């Protein structure tokens, strides 16, 4: 026979299990469809890795990914490179590298990682040399994210 306190604890536990199950089902049926996933993959996102990082919650992933095109770090990186500012460029490239890693934007992450190391060494010209590759990756990502 269960004591009243044990009954209350069991009800709380059962309620938590139902809540967790409901959240799991919602995330599995999240708002990302196959077409959106294909677009993101084509733009350089490792969608499966990103979903793991976001606890398989496609809605949460898309919420954060959709903010990326309006995030101002890309503009700060371009301005620093135009000004020949290795320190400012390093800060922007390093920030961008972190954001792209968290969102699993692998194509853009790879080039911003290399730019970060160039700028860490004070080599603005080497970072500028990677700018066309970075711009292509950035534009592809932003275009895909604006369409989903």
């Amino acid at each position: 026979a269960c004591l009243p306190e044990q009954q209350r604890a069991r009800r709380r536990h059962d309620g938590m299990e139902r809540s967790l199950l409901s959240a799991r089902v919602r995330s599995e049926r999240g708002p990302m469809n196959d077409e959106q996933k294909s677009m993101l993959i084509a733009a350089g996102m490792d969608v499966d890795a990103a979903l793991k990082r976001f606890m398989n919650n496609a809605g949460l992933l898309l919420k954060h990914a959709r903010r990326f095109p309006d995030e101002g770090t890309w503009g700060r990186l371009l301005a620093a490179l135009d000004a020949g500012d290795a320190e400012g460029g390093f800060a922007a490239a390093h920030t961008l590298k972190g954001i792209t890693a968290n969102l699993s934007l692998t194509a853009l992450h790879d080039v911003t990682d290399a730019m970060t190391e160039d700028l860490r060494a004070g080599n603005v010209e080497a970072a500028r040399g990677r700018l066309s590759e970075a711009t292509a990756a950035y534009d592809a990502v932003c275009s895909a994210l604006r369409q989903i």
Side-chain angles (χ1 to χ4, degrees), residues 34-111:
D34 290 338
E35 181 182 353
Q36 291 171 322
K37 185 174 181 177
S38 294
M39 288 174 62
L40 292 171
I41 291 169
M45 178 186 275
D46 182 344
V47 175
D48 292 332
L51 283 169
K52 278 184 183 178
R53 187 169 283 115
F54 283 84
M55 301 172 296
N56 289 319
N57 187 329
L60 185 62
L61 169 60
L62 289 175
K63 175 184 172 182
H64 289 281
R66 286 177 176 139
R67 293 177 179 171
F68 180 76
D70 298 322
E71 201 279 327
T73 305
W74 179 253
R76 288 192 297 278
L77 175 60
L78 295 178
L81 291 177
D82 284 345
D85 177 9
E87 186 177 329
F90 170 76
H94 192 269
T95 299
L96 197 56
K97 180 180 98 166
I99 294 168
T100 58
N102 284 326
L103 293 174
S104 297
L105 300 170
T106 55
L108 185 54
H109 174 267
D110 292 346
V111 69

Side-chain angles (χ1 to χ4, degrees), residues 8-46:
R8 284 192 297 272
R10 182 172 292 138
R11 284 186 192 138
R12 282 193 306 269
H13 176 73
D14 291 345
M16 285 188 294
E17 281 184 348
R18 280 192 299 276
S19 294
L20 289 172
L21 177 61
S22 176
R24 191 176 313 119
V25 169
R26 276 196 312 269
S27 69
E28 289 170 358
R29 284 189 268 142
M32 187 183 303
N33 61 43
D34 290 338
E35 181 182 353
Q36 291 171 322
K37 185 174 181 177
S38 294
M39 288 174 62
L40 292 171
I41 291 169
M45 178 186 275
D46 182 344

Side-chain angles (χ1 to χ4, degrees), residues 33 35-36 39-40 43 62 66 69 139-148:
N33 61 43
E35 181 182 353
Q36 291 171 322
M39 288 174 62
L40 292 171
L62 289 175
R66 286 177 176 139
D139 289 345
V141 165
C142 290
S143 176
L145 289 173
R146 287 185 177 112
Q147 292 178 46
I148 60 170

